[in-house]
Amino acid sequence: MKYTRLPHTDIRVSKICLGTMTWGRQNTEEEGHEQMDYAVEQGVNFFDTAELYPIPPKKEIYAVTEEIIGNWFKKTGNRDKIVLASKIAGRAEFTKYIRTTGFSRDSIIKAVEGSLQRLQTDYIDLYQLHWPERNTNFFGQRGFNAHTVDPWQDNIHQVLETLRDLVKEGKIRHVGLSNETPWGTMRFLEESKVHQDLPRMLTIQNPYSLLNRLYEVGLSEISQREQIGLLPYSPLAFGVLSGKYLTEIPPRKARITLFPHYDRYSGETATEATKRYQDLANEHGLSMAQMALAFVNTRPFVTSNIIGATSMEQLKENIGSIDVNLSDEVLDGIEAIHSAIPNPAP
């Protein structure tokens, strides 16, 4: 395993982060525990979860993933070996069963306390805002819609004050963003620069893959100049970049087969790009999944690559990507495909 550090800290994290969003829906608790056991054996020390998980969200299974992780901590005693990240769900139509009060002080405090209880721990190493309260950066939408009616009032200072108090209490150690825009990221950073008693956002968790490199437009410069690390999610584009959906008969238990509305990586243009990446991988004797993950692993703005799997076979392949070195010829091939079909999935 390779390691890096959470920006502005001495916390050492594996370059591969174990994602958990399928546990409790596509995966059983036993399977989740098996994944954690194996990941730790391979040197993975960074887990990412959220109160919203498992995905797709459903009231009846709200926060089950955190419970699965908490039970593993209790069973193994491994809490001190893991850098643990979780998130508060933002305001959205599909989260009304969680709360309708957004990132108010009471909401953040209750969300943190609920996660701590389910995770059976006294602290969370990295606590993230799952997506903005503002009407921006929706899945499937490219760019900000200037005509959007947005009732949001700037509460970023108040949010950071609440997070600061939770840091002082020892309930969380550090804070991060998720699904955020360049404007939102700089707005949070600006607030903590002007008011130095407020915590600084260390990471941003956004989608990033061969099919969606939009992070490179604006946010990658912020990452490198401000030292805020990307924790890329969906690096295999919901499994599309494994090549398994290129077959005539889609795999029966695969994510998009089970939940066809998760189709943002399955459009005609994205499929054409995927075919070209598959041909490139075949040409160089690589699995497309490991090629796609290795590309993400080596981006200079990436702190840790969030991988997920529903089978142990997938997990082993994904973690094994850390040992894959891409030649200049492969990297040039990736850039050629990206130039021809840039960012086919929003």
Side-chain angles (χ1 to χ4, degrees), residues 10-310:
D10 60 359
I11 298 176
R12 183 170 173 263
V13 294
S14 49
K15 195 73 179 184
I16 297 290
C17 176
L18 182 62
T20 64
M21 73 176 185
T22 61
W23 303 351
R25 185 138 194 182
Q26 285 178 265
N27 289 105
T28 65
E29 178 163 341
E30 181 181 7
E31 289 169 339
H33 287 193
E34 184 182 13
Q35 287 194 26
M36 286 183 276
D37 289 340
Y38 179 80
V40 170
E41 289 172 5
Q42 301 307 306
V44 173
N45 74 338
F46 193 14
F47 293 177
D48 177 74
T49 192
E51 66 167 341
L52 186 68
Y53 296 168
I55 297 291
K58 196 176 179 182
K59 182 177 181 179
E60 293 77 13
I61 51 175
Y62 163 63
V64 164
T65 304
E66 287 188 328
E67 293 175 0
I68 289 172
I69 296 169
N71 291 339
W72 183 80
F73 284 149
K74 183 178 180 180
K75 180 178 75 173
T76 64
N78 279 345
R79 174 64 186 95
D80 62 343
K81 296 180 180 180
I82 303 303
V83 179
L84 178 64
S86 193
K87 314 178 197 70
I88 176 174
R91 193 199 312 263
E93 187 66 30
F94 61 90
T95 59
K96 284 185 177 179
Y97 66 88
I98 300 175
R99 69 183 66 84
T100 59
T101 47
F103 297 149
S104 69
R105 180 177 179 84
D106 286 347
S107 294
I108 295 173
I109 292 171
K110 288 177 181 177
V112 167
E113 290 176 345
S115 288
L116 290 173
Q117 183 177 9
R118 291 185 292 268
L119 291 163
Q120 301 189 51
T121 185
D122 297 325
Y123 67 98
I124 296 169
D125 296 285
L126 178 66
Y127 197 66
Q128 304 152 103
L129 308 179
H130 208 153
W131 56 84
E133 289 185 287
R134 314 181 311 279
N135 288 337
T136 187
N137 218 25
F138 299 113
F139 290 128
Q141 174 180 299
R142 293 179 186 269
F144 176 69
N145 184 348
H147 301 290
T148 298
V149 176
D150 190 351
W152 178 74
Q153 298 292 317
D154 193 327
N155 63 342
I156 287 174
H157 186 92
Q158 289 75 25
V159 168
L160 288 171
E161 281 185 326
T162 303
L163 294 171
R164 174 201 62 196
D165 293 346
L166 289 164
V167 170
K168 287 181 177 179
E169 291 176 29
K171 294 180 178 179
I172 59 177
R173 296 180 68 188
H174 300 286
V175 293
L177 299 166
S178 183
N179 296 304
E180 192 48 277
T181 65
W183 182 87
T185 302
M186 288 305 298
R187 181 68 187 84
F188 272 100
L189 292 176
E190 173 191 47
E191 200 67 35
S192 59
K193 286 179 181 178
V194 173
H195 305 279
Q196 295 186 7
D197 64 317
L198 298 179
R200 189 187 199 282
M201 293 297 179
L202 303 185
T203 56
I204 176 170
Q205 187 176 144
N206 276 27
Y208 184 74
S209 70
L210 292 178
L211 296 180
N212 181 346
R213 292 170 59 178
L214 291 171
Y215 191 87
E216 296 174 10
V217 182
L219 277 165
S220 63
E221 182 179 10
I222 293 172
S223 272
Q224 300 207 202
R225 295 193 186 278
E226 300 290 338
Q227 292 299 293
I228 179 168
L230 173 63
L231 305 178
Y233 72 83
S234 293
L236 288 180
F238 288 168
V240 167
L241 287 168
S242 70
K244 62 187 176 184
Y245 297 106
L246 295 178
T247 60
E248 290 185 10
I249 302 175
R252 186 168 57 88
K253 293 184 179 181
R255 186 165 191 77
I256 299 173
T257 307
L258 293 172
F259 312 113
H261 61 289
Y262 283 135
D263 59 355
R264 73 187 75 128
Y265 299 106
S266 304
E268 184 177 337
T269 308
T271 299
E272 175 57 31
T274 301
K275 290 177 180 176
R276 295 192 191 188
Y277 287 121
Q278 179 71 81
D279 290 342
L280 178 67
N282 291 343
E283 181 183 343
H284 293 276
L286 298 166
S287 84
M288 179 163 59
Q290 288 200 331
M291 182 184 78
L293 292 173
F295 175 80
V296 174
N297 292 343
T298 55
R299 298 307 89 192
F301 44 81
V302 168
T303 293
S304 186
N305 187 4
I306 304 175
I307 57 98
T310 53

